[in-house]
Amino acid sequence: MLSVDCLRRCIIESRVRLRRRTVVGANRILAGLVLFCIAGCAASGVSTQWLEHESDITRLLARMTLEEKLGQLTLLWGGQSEDGNPDVRKKTASELHELIRTGRCGAFLGAHGAAYTDGLQRVAVEQSPHRIPLLFGNDVIHGYHTIFPIPLAEACTWSPELAEKSARIAATEARAAGTHWTFAPMVDIARDARWGRIAEGAGEDPWLGSVIAAARVRGFQGAKLNSADSVLACAKHFVAYGAAESGRDYNTVDISEQTLREVHLPPFRAAVDAGVGTIMSAFNEINGIPASGHRGTLTDILRGEWGFQGFVVSDWTSVTEMVNHGFAADNSDAAARAILAGVDMDMSSASYRDTLGDRVRRGSVPERVVDQAVRRVLRMKYQLGLFDNPYADADRERRLHLCEAHRSAAREVARNSVVLLKNSNGVLPIGARVRSIAVIGPLADDRREMLGTWAVIGKPGDVIPRIEKSVVTIVEGIRQRAGSGVTVRYARGCELNGGDRSGFAEAQRIAAESDLVILAVGEGRDMSGEAASRSSLELPGVQQALAEALCAAGKPVVAVVMAGRPLSITWISENAAGVLNAWHLGTEAGHAVADLLFGDASPSGRLAVTIPRNVGQAPIYYAQKNTGRPPTDQKYTSKYIDVPWTPLYPFGFGLSYTTLEYSNLRISRSVARPGESIEISAQITNTGSRSGIEVAQLYVRDVVATMTRPVRQLKGFQRVDLAAGASRTVTFSLPVAELGFYDSALRYRIEPGTFRVWIGPSSTEGLEGSFEVAGG
């Protein structure tokens, strides 16, 4: 397969050789070479879009000084404030302008708003040496002004269409406000709920994670990067950041090469295949080598095996942190190691700008490596259309941000993100007999906490011309939906943290006066996300004690659990009449929860991550290995002596307001060979009295192999909307090529043998069959 950079070098080197020839003859040969390269790219599946501006980039590089080149590889904080980060010092306008004017910085993060970014951009395109526009990047993780559910919640929709839709809206709002580049999606596989950044990804499974990763890349980048509703996406954190030991952020990762390739790399490959423009290197080390200095992953795999054409940016100071890792002697050594490994742009530390010039002049870093990195960055600036249209659109910014269409979409995605975990005796949806509702809990009426982690631009009480826009809280949503015929009472009950129980009495009083209690508990937005690992997965503070006091009153209690991670809610699960896992739902949280509570929509969310019984089970995930002593009732098997080994709720689980039945499993062939596919189908019938959405899931197991295999692996899913009494057949096409694994020599192989297969509603249920894979 021809690589883009190889072809680029071929063109450039040929230009040099052709200088001695006649102009006409040289141009004819060069034109033929370009056509050959284009044909080669097309034949090998490599995009030729970069060729459009390659000559412009070559001319720019020829005019740039080494210091100006290093400026293009420097990403610095350019925000209006320190943003609460002690490592950030706000630069004055004159300081920023001087950096831009002298070409010592080519990209900024933290700069928001059309007016502000245009002011900085004007300096770049009017006063900098080569008029190269700035690239503005920001953490547009789950919305810009209109905040959607956190990514973990969004993954629980099991809907790539909704994931793409939310990313598209975020991109539209962000681009109008001057942001060209989002540091999303986070595609790290996470199986340890202690890790705070589990909130930012798609959960524990590489198949689901890959589908969501590709969808979000498509949503952010759109059909063309230079359109008014597209931003450059950034798949992060490359790679295995989610496997941090003990769930502690930034911690060591030590995993097998097979696990790296089978679990952690697939979502990144899906993002690359979807055309992602940038990749962010991670903070962690991988088997002894820091990710930002790991040439094996950044160059050999990412560019060599996958043909990635964009650029790699480091995470915040992850380049210079290689000194702390003990991998680099000083910042200069770290910068050299990073750029030689494949990191093109340094975020925040300025180590490239400040140290690589000397390295190049001494010969320890070839200038062609710097040129290659600059070319990749400039290529993206051209594809974004910044050389033609560098400015934001203030009028569009005002019209689009928090518009009704975007809020409606946020409500739709939030509704579909909620997972119904328990519904005893049909306590939900709320029926006509309920004439009074007590809404209680520290998260019942708190706008800020609805937004979740990394809601950088979403501020409670946002106001834009024409209409005041604000986050909808749970109690507000219930009051609006309940109407005047139902009495809705509210009490906070307790704080998110701390031991104060002084609010219990009021909470118990209004519960006693009501027909139903809605209890809103969980984590605050700052308790998950970056640098927010926890050693406990219990409800913080005295929230469980509040739940116990309310359940003791004898009124039915429905718990709405909001958090950035799966919490160990064993007591609530056993004692509440109903449980909704609502995560952090964003701007339209209250409306979405009310839609489900009152039955205006049926819950359709399914868990994208396993919920443990307690923190002692972490990390826990469905695709475990069987071990030589799988758990049974016998003593000497793999289990605990104090809790069941099974999770509280398994991956893929979720209830509906109706009942569904699977039947008639069919497998198209009993024996298949490499290169063939197997059709597997089942019938799903809605046996209840209400319509509902089911997520049918396909799992397989390789029964015997030369490397031990997981007990189940997800290989497909379909969302099915069924009216009451209706039936539908779901069919999955399973290519035999997807049944392989990496052997001890890291060769991908498909071995003959027996495979078990399930179609069902979760990772622990379903109709079961089997088929054989024969040798090629």
Side-chain angles (χ1 to χ4, degrees):
M1 178 175 172
L2 294 169
S3 76
V4 171
D5 288 309
C6 178
L7 293 174
R8 176 187 58 75
R9 288 195 299 272
C10 181
I11 292 173
I12 294 169
E13 290 168 7
S14 296
R15 280 195 177 113
V16 174
R17 293 173 184 171
L18 292 171
R19 283 173 185 163
R20 300 186 187 93
R21 299 178 180 264
T22 65
V23 173
V24 174
N27 285 342
R28 284 176 179 168
I29 294 172
L30 184 58
L33 179 61
V34 170
L35 289 174
F36 168 77
C37 290
I38 293 174
C41 282
S44 62
V46 177
S47 170
T48 59
Q49 185 178 7
W50 65 274
L51 290 169
E52 182 181 357
H53 299 290
E54 205 66 13
S55 59
D56 298 320
I57 296 171
T58 299
R59 284 192 293 270
L60 261 178
L61 279 168
R63 297 198 305 267
M64 295 171 71
T65 66
L66 176 58
E67 285 66 30
E68 289 164 352
K69 292 174 184 177
L70 295 175
Q72 288 299 307
L73 306 184
T74 298
L75 170 63
L76 297 177
W77 180 261
Q80 298 96 316
S81 69
E82 288 80 4
D83 202 38
N85 188 331
D87 296 326
V88 173
R89 182 186 69 84
K90 176 186 173 183
K91 294 178 177 63
T92 65
S94 61
E95 287 176 318
L96 290 174
H97 290 184
E98 182 64 16
L99 284 171
I100 299 165
R101 191 179 296 113
T102 56
R104 290 186 294 135
C105 183
F108 287 107
L109 72 160
H112 297 286
Y116 182 74
T117 57
D118 281 356
L120 297 178
Q121 191 71 280
R122 192 165 287 107
V123 177
V125 300
E126 294 179 3
Q127 301 178 39
S128 69
H130 307 289
R131 308 301 192 256
I132 300 173
L134 296 167
L135 179 64
F136 292 110
N138 282 301
D139 287 290
V140 186
I141 306 301
H142 54 109
Y144 192 74
H145 271 169
T146 307
I147 302 301
F148 284 76
I150 59 171
L152 180 59
E154 191 173 87
C156 291
T157 66
W158 290 59
S159 171
E161 295 78 14
L162 290 178
E164 183 173 344
K165 185 176 188 177
S166 73
R168 190 102 215 96
I169 289 172
T172 301
E173 291 186 355
R175 187 67 183 258
T179 292
H180 314 122
W181 179 25
T182 174
F183 306 129
M186 191 193 94
V187 302
D188 298 300
I189 296 302
R191 294 174 165 181
D192 192 330
R194 294 173 296 182
W195 189 52
R197 302 197 80 167
I198 195 172
E200 299 173 50
E204 70 183 55
D205 183 72
W207 180 277
L208 178 61
S210 295
V211 171
I212 298 297
R216 299 197 78 211
V217 169
R218 292 193 302 268
F220 284 129
Q221 296 192 166
K224 294 192 71 176
L225 277 172
N226 63 0
S227 68
D229 55 359
S230 292
V231 296
L232 189 62
C234 182
K236 65 182 187 183
H237 308 79
F238 198 67
V239 62
Y241 184 37
E245 288 181 357
S246 68
R248 204 173 76 237
D249 210 355
Y250 320 117
N251 205 7
T252 301
V253 171
D254 196 347
I255 56 177
S256 71
E257 291 287 337
Q258 286 82 7
T259 298
L260 180 68
R261 288 184 173 269
E262 294 178 7
V263 176
H264 297 281
L265 284 174
F268 287 96
R269 178 62 188 267
V272 169
D273 289 346
V276 71
T278 64
I279 297 285
M280 183 183 292
S281 63
F283 290 112
N284 56 282
E285 67 170 63
I286 309 163
N287 301 340
I289 301 176
S292 292
H294 202 300
R295 185 174 176 82
T297 56
L298 292 171
T299 295
D300 297 345
I301 293 176
L302 184 59
R303 298 192 186 278
E305 295 183 25
W306 300 351
F308 174 63
Q309 301 178 43
F311 72 83
V312 175
V313 62
S314 77
D315 208 335
W316 186 280
T317 67
S318 70
V319 169
T320 52
E321 286 172 22
M322 290 196 288
V323 176
N324 288 340
H325 277 287
F327 189 72
D330 52 30
N331 287 356
S332 174
D333 186 27
R337 288 177 181 271
I339 198 167
L340 291 172
V343 175
D344 301 302
M345 181 182 284
D346 166 61
M347 183 192 291
S348 181
S349 78
S351 61
Y352 279 18
R353 184 194 68 192
D354 295 342
T355 70
L356 285 183
D358 288 341
R359 288 270 176 174
V360 171
R361 283 183 281 270
R362 295 202 309 265
S364 59
V365 173
E367 189 165 2
R368 62 178 171 77
V369 173
V370 174
D371 287 352
Q372 183 182 61
V374 176
R375 182 177 294 275
R376 291 167 180 161
V377 172
L378 293 177
R379 191 179 291 153
M380 287 303 157
K381 289 188 177 184
Y382 270 108
Q383 289 192 18
L384 283 162
L386 297 182
F387 284 87
D388 298 322
N389 183 21
Y391 298 115
D393 188 335
D395 180 62
R396 197 161 185 264
E397 177 184 21
R398 286 189 294 271
R399 285 187 289 106
L400 288 179
H401 285 191
L402 276 169
C403 66
E404 288 303 323
H406 292 181
R407 293 189 70 118
S408 177
R411 183 171 181 169
E412 176 191 14
V413 176
R415 254 196 324 260
N416 285 276
S417 300
V418 177
V419 183
L420 179 62
L421 298 177
K422 183 179 181 182
N423 191 22
S424 296
N425 301 318
V427 66
L428 294 176
I430 297 171
R433 293 183 181 179
V434 174
R435 309 308 300 166
S436 58
I437 302 171
V439 185
I440 299 169
L443 291 174
D445 196 30
D446 193 318
R447 301 188 195 286
R448 180 179 183 275
E449 307 301 353
M450 297 298 99
L451 296 174
T453 184
W454 284 116
V456 177
I457 313 301
K459 300 179 179 67
D462 267 319
V463 180
I464 62 172
R466 293 181 288 117
I467 186 169
E468 179 180 350
K469 303 294 182 179
S470 64
V471 175
V472 181
T473 69
I474 305 302
V475 70
E476 285 175 339
I478 291 172
R479 278 182 173 145
Q480 290 177 30
R481 175 56 182 82
S484 58
V486 177
T487 300
V488 178
R489 304 177 177 91
Y490 163 71
R492 188 171 179 86
C494 67
E495 299 303 316
L496 276 168
N497 283 293
D500 186 2
R501 303 188 182 205
S502 60
F504 280 26
E506 181 188 8
Q508 289 174 296
R509 178 184 62 79
I510 69 167
E513 296 171 355
S514 304
D515 298 325
L516 178 68
V517 176
I518 305 297
L519 177 62
V521 293
E523 293 181 323
R525 61 176 291 193
D526 294 333
M527 296 188 72
S528 62
E530 186 172 355
S533 298
R534 292 185 62 194
S535 64
S536 169
L537 299 178
E538 307 296 323
L539 287 170
V542 293
Q543 292 183 74
Q544 181 169 311
L546 175 63
E548 293 172 3
L550 295 175
C551 287
K555 298 296 178 71
V557 174
V558 173
V560 179
V561 181
M562 288 170 277
R565 55 165 54 83
L567 296 179
S568 298
I569 50 170
T570 303
W571 191 94
I572 282 182
S573 177
E574 293 171 349
N575 292 277
V579 181
L580 284 170
N581 206 98
W583 312 104
H584 289 136
L585 294 178
T587 303
E588 288 289 318
H591 284 150
V593 170
D595 289 342
L596 296 170
L597 290 175
F598 287 92
D600 299 329
S602 181
S604 62
R606 301 295 184 266
L607 290 175
V609 64
T610 300
I611 297 182
R613 296 177 185 273
N614 60 40
V615 73
Q617 290 185 314
I620 185 171
Y621 49 96
Y622 83 93
Q624 61 187 338
K625 299 291 187 72
N626 205 39
T627 80
R629 295 188 177 188
T632 68
D633 292 336
Q634 303 228 355
K635 177 178 175 60
Y636 295 102
T637 57
S638 181
K639 58 182 182 296
Y640 302 100
I641 63 172
D642 53 347
V643 295
W645 65 272
T646 55
L648 186 60
Y649 294 104
F651 175 85
F653 178 80
L655 301 174
S656 173
Y657 286 155
T658 189
T659 53
L660 298 140
E661 182 179 286
Y662 285 74
S663 62
N664 198 22
L665 178 71
R666 293 182 180 274
I667 302 174
S668 64
R669 59 179 73 194
S670 59
V671 179
R673 288 175 172 78
E676 297 178 338
S677 293
I678 304 168
E679 306 297 313
I680 306 166
S681 64
Q683 182 173 288
I684 306 174
T685 301
N686 184 342
T687 57
S689 59
R690 299 174 61 95
S691 63
I693 296 175
E694 174 65 327
V695 179
Q697 301 160 40
L698 173 71
Y699 295 89
V700 300
R701 180 181 180 183
D702 187 347
V703 178
V704 178
T706 54
M707 301 284 288
T708 59
R709 308 303 300 141
V711 295
R712 289 196 191 193
Q713 290 180 285
L714 182 70
K715 291 296 179 181
F717 60 87
Q718 294 182 33
R719 281 171 57 95
V720 183
D721 196 343
L722 289 170
S727 296
R728 185 178 301 177
T729 297
V730 293
T731 301
F732 297 93
S733 180
L734 179 63
V736 173
E738 293 181 2
L739 298 176
F741 59 88
Y742 286 90
D743 65 14
S744 58
L746 296 182
R747 296 169 301 196
Y748 186 79
R749 44 185 303 175
I750 303 159
E751 292 185 343
T754 301
F755 287 79
R756 296 166 65 185
V757 62
W758 297 263
I759 294 181
S762 78
S763 59
T764 60
E765 303 173 79
L767 304 176
E768 181 180 351
S770 65
F771 59 86
E772 298 287 325
V773 169

